């Protein structure tokens, strides 16, 4: 530990606590990447652009028909994947139909397979879809047309 110069003003000031230098070099709270999109060990994460939109989501049943519809919120979008937050869990490998509600009058249809589904926080799941071409299914066409 370095000694302080003996001058009249410095004699009453105690030295800083141990570890002070390391704490002062740490990144501030605002600069840390503690966001929900930060990578966790062992979990593959999609790369994409931040994307915020309301979604209508429906998981396909065993006969490839859309089952019940629920609302979700988009988080990331890329050419090959869509990440959204949902209050409902989706099983990995299942097919999902999605309607993206933008400013336009008609929603944009997307289709994909669930690549991962992890519990995020506050009763929400982070679902990553691998986007696929729209299948030629009459039932899906009807589901996309219904608003």
């Amino acid at each position: 530990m370095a000694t302080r110069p003996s001058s009249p003003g410095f004699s009453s000031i105690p030295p800083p606590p141990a570890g002070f230098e390391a704490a002062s070099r740490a990144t501030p709270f605002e600069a840390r990447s503690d966001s929900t999109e930060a990578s966790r060990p062992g979990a593959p994460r999609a790369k994409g652009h931040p994307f915020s939109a309301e979604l209508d989501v429906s998981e396909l049943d065993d006969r490839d028909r859309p089952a019940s519809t629920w609302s979700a919120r988009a988080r990331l979008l890329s050419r090959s994947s869509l990440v959204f937050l949902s209050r409902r869990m989706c099983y990995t490998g299942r097919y999902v139909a999605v309607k993206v509600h933008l400013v336009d009058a008609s929603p944009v249809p997307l289709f994909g397979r669930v690549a991962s589904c992890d519990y995020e926080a506050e009763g929400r799941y982070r679902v990553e879809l691998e986007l696929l071409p729209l299948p030629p299914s009459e039932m899906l066409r009807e589901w996309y047309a219904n608003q």
Side-chain angles (χ1 to χ4, degrees):
M1 180 186 259
T3 59
R4 296 197 174 261
S6 60
S7 63
F10 289 109
S11 62
S12 63
I13 300 174
F20 179 75
E21 290 85 17
S24 65
R25 287 190 304 267
T27 58
F29 180 75
E30 295 83 19
R32 280 191 245 157
S33 61
D34 291 339
S35 71
T36 57
E37 303 307 328
S39 62
R40 285 181 264 179
R45 292 295 178 189
K47 294 181 181 174
H49 300 283
F51 180 64
S52 180
E54 288 293 321
L55 307 175
D56 286 336
V57 182
S58 180
E59 195 173 75
L60 274 58
D61 63 10
D62 296 333
R63 295 188 217 169
D64 293 333
R65 296 179 303 180
S68 62
T69 302
W70 71 93
S71 296
R73 188 76 171 155
R75 296 295 295 271
L76 288 175
L77 180 66
S78 71
R79 289 182 181 190
S80 62
S81 65
L82 170 70
V83 176
F84 62 87
L85 289 182
S86 168
R87 292 214 177 263
R88 183 172 168 188
M89 183 187 117
C90 296
Y91 289 102
T92 304
R94 298 293 297 256
Y95 292 99
V96 174
V98 178
K99 291 186 216 177
V100 181
H101 296 281
L102 299 171
V103 181
D104 301 7
S106 60
V108 177
L110 292 177
F111 183 78
R113 182 179 22 241
V114 178
S116 69
C117 179
D118 299 316
Y119 182 77
E120 184 75 18
E122 300 177 6
R124 293 183 186 210
Y125 293 89
R126 181 186 189 277
V127 180
E128 180 183 336
L129 285 185
E130 171 193 354
L131 295 177
L132 302 170
L134 292 174
S137 166
E138 187 60 38
M139 292 195 176
L140 273 177
R141 230 173 288 159
E142 288 176 17
W143 184 82
Y144 285 124
N146 291 337
Q147 296 200 37

